[in-house]
Amino acid sequence: MDRTMKRLILLALMTFNCTLVSADTLTLKAGHPESYVVKKGDTLWDISATFLSDPWKWPRLWDVNPQIANPHLIYPGDQLTLVFIDGQPRLVRNGTGEGKPHIRKTPEGRVIAKSNAVPAVDLALIQNYLVQNRVVDADWFAKQPMVLAGESPSRHHVVGDVIYIDSELPLNQKLGMYERGRDFFNKQTGEALGQEAILASTGQVIESGKVSKVKLLSNYRETKAGFRALPMEDEALMSAYFTPKPAELKTPATVLAIESKMREAGKLNVVYLDKGTQDGVEPGEVFSIYRDGEEIVINNDGQPVPTTERTAYDNVVASLSSDRAIKMPDIYHGKLLVFKVFDKASLGLIVSTERSVRVDDKLIAPDSLAFRGE
């Protein structure tokens, strides 16, 4: 290999390495503070967004940090200081090594329950807006134990009532009573995505037999005969906290349905997605929500005609001539946090909106900016 070729290869490698370093560098937000005192209700996402231009990279702000070996155990009142380690910004907790330590005149200790540690996204802040519904195989759901009746002559059963289930169930087993909901299908392929199972109540088996007795411990709606009893297993529950991260789907997901069955959804409403674990979706992933841009047709007079004013002739022109039909850019509507994932579908909470969200809205990997509209 001649000297010129070696120089070219060396130059290419240096350029490639520099590109990788640049792409992997954390960029601090203009006007960022030098330190921060953790407040009650803070999340790691909130704190990182105070310092970073690109909050999706927040785990790296806490990475390789002996002072904060477990960032989920940062407590209100802790003072965090921004330092540079190997040229990269890092947050350290004062009083444990690097950074400006707290000055204490007398020895003192602090006892705080682990439940007070700052999580990535505190479930307590959003749990009132979440639902414990499930998306299950329709045939499987139809074969599950069924509510027959109750000790009360009423057809509607609530907390404290004892109901009868047509199956011999393990004593003390905890159950969820689910109402059959909607059947979900992929609108593009027609594939069945699952059966909506709506949680009505929870209960515990107090007597086991051919017909078991279950005492209702909580209810979200009245329980009726015909509802199905499903074990409250781990996959039916949710994590105590979520670590926000950008979704990485190669093909867009769509809003499959609105949990409340309303025509439009807004901030803190729950929606179903048409993607699940089989597609690589995980709890904590964040999607940007977009509405398809309008298709404008140029009529014979050279004037643009919006969709709402198009005639049958304009529709024919739009289908035959790509030059006469121009698609407008997709419109940003907000962001969504996935909190429960099933085989072929997921549940997500709308965490920010600039416009209302509807069924069939597009869900794509978000850009590197913080939530817009907040």
Side-chain angles (χ1 to χ4, degrees):
M1 186 180 296
D2 59 34
R3 182 176 300 176
T4 302
M5 181 60 70
K6 288 181 178 179
R7 288 179 177 176
L8 288 174
I9 293 174
L10 179 61
L11 178 61
L13 289 173
M14 292 175 64
T15 302
F16 179 70
N17 287 335
C18 289
T19 302
L20 286 179
V21 171
S22 175
D24 202 37
T25 300
L26 292 179
T27 303
L28 293 172
K29 181 184 294 184
H32 65 82
E34 295 300 321
S35 62
Y36 182 85
V37 177
V38 180
K39 302 186 298 294
K40 184 177 181 180
D42 275 344
T43 69
L44 300 185
W45 171 270
D46 297 327
I47 297 170
S48 299
T50 301
F51 294 89
L52 295 180
S53 297
D54 187 349
W56 299 119
K57 295 181 179 179
W58 73 265
R60 295 194 53 233
L61 191 63
W62 313 88
D63 192 26
V64 192
N65 192 333
Q67 283 73 38
I68 309 177
N70 183 353
H72 298 296
L73 297 181
I74 297 173
Y75 297 93
D78 282 341
Q79 182 170 347
L80 306 176
T81 298
L82 185 68
V83 299
F84 285 83
I85 300 175
D86 296 329
Q88 289 292 299
R90 297 286 186 267
L91 282 179
V92 297
R93 185 172 58 218
N94 287 359
T96 52
E98 298 188 43
K100 189 180 296 181
H102 289 297
I103 298 176
R104 303 185 187 277
K105 294 183 178 180
T106 59
E108 60 182 49
R110 176 180 56 180
V111 178
I112 298 181
K114 285 187 177 181
S115 60
N116 288 336
V118 176
V121 171
D122 189 351
L123 179 61
L125 300 178
I126 60 176
Q127 64 182 354
N128 290 337
Y129 306 102
L130 308 185
V131 295
Q132 286 281 8
N133 295 352
R134 299 168 69 174
V135 179
V136 298
D137 180 79
D139 292 336
W140 174 85
F141 185 71
K143 298 174 183 177
Q144 299 311 299
M146 183 170 59
V147 176
L148 298 174
E151 288 185 347
S152 166
S154 173
R155 297 177 58 187
H156 305 92
H157 308 289
V158 295
V159 172
D161 287 352
V162 173
I163 59 175
Y164 302 133
I165 308 293
D166 68 344
S167 180
E168 187 169 350
L169 302 171
L171 192 63
N172 297 322
Q173 182 181 33
K174 292 184 179 180
L175 301 169
M177 270 47 72
Y178 289 84
E179 178 183 5
R180 176 179 174 176
R182 294 164 285 187
D183 293 301
F184 293 140
F185 296 90
N186 185 301
K187 291 190 176 181
Q188 301 298 323
T189 66
E191 178 188 10
L193 300 180
Q195 170 85 63
E196 180 186 30
I198 304 169
L199 181 64
S201 60
T202 63
Q204 188 169 20
V205 179
I206 59 173
E207 186 175 314
S208 181
K210 187 175 180 180
V211 174
S212 296
K213 290 184 179 182
V214 173
K215 184 174 183 178
L216 296 183
L217 304 177
S218 67
N219 65 271
Y220 302 93
R221 58 183 69 197
E222 295 172 325
T223 298
K224 303 177 185 177
F227 285 12
R228 301 290 169 169
L230 308 181
M232 295 296 290
E233 299 171 344
D234 290 343
E235 60 266 25
L237 305 177
M238 292 180 289
S239 301
Y241 62 83
F242 301 98
T243 302
K245 55 186 175 181
E248 298 181 352
L249 285 183
K250 295 182 179 178
T251 57
T254 59
V255 175
L256 181 62
I258 297 173
E259 186 273 330
S260 62
K261 299 183 182 180
M262 297 178 65
R263 183 171 181 268
E264 296 182 335
K267 186 174 181 179
L268 299 179
N269 286 157
V270 171
V271 299
Y272 290 94
L273 290 65
D274 66 350
K275 304 288 185 185
T277 53
Q278 293 186 6
D279 307 286
V281 178
E282 297 179 355
E285 288 191 335
V286 177
F287 288 84
S288 284
I289 309 168
Y290 281 86
R291 179 83 45 82
D292 278 339
E294 183 181 11
E295 188 177 58
I296 301 295
V297 173
I298 306 301
N299 64 18
N300 290 333
D301 296 327
Q303 296 299 311
V305 180
T307 303
T308 54
E309 299 177 12
R310 276 161 48 171
T311 63
Y313 175 76
D314 292 327
N315 290 331
V316 172
V317 169
S319 63
L320 297 178
S321 174
S322 58
D323 294 335
R324 297 275 294 275
I326 306 172
K327 184 180 181 301
M328 300 297 100
D330 293 341
I331 302 172
Y332 175 82
H333 278 240
K335 281 192 170 65
L336 173 150
L337 171 71
V338 174
F339 64 90
K340 287 184 73 176
V341 182
F342 311 99
D343 287 345
K344 301 178 182 179
S346 304
L347 278 167
L349 179 73
I350 299 173
V351 291
S352 68
T353 52
E354 292 190 359
R355 300 170 182 85
S356 60
V357 176
R358 296 181 181 177
V359 172
D360 294 332
D361 278 355
K362 190 186 320 182
L363 303 170
I364 64 174
D367 53 30
S368 60
L369 300 179
F371 291 159
R372 292 162 61 181
E374 292 192 341

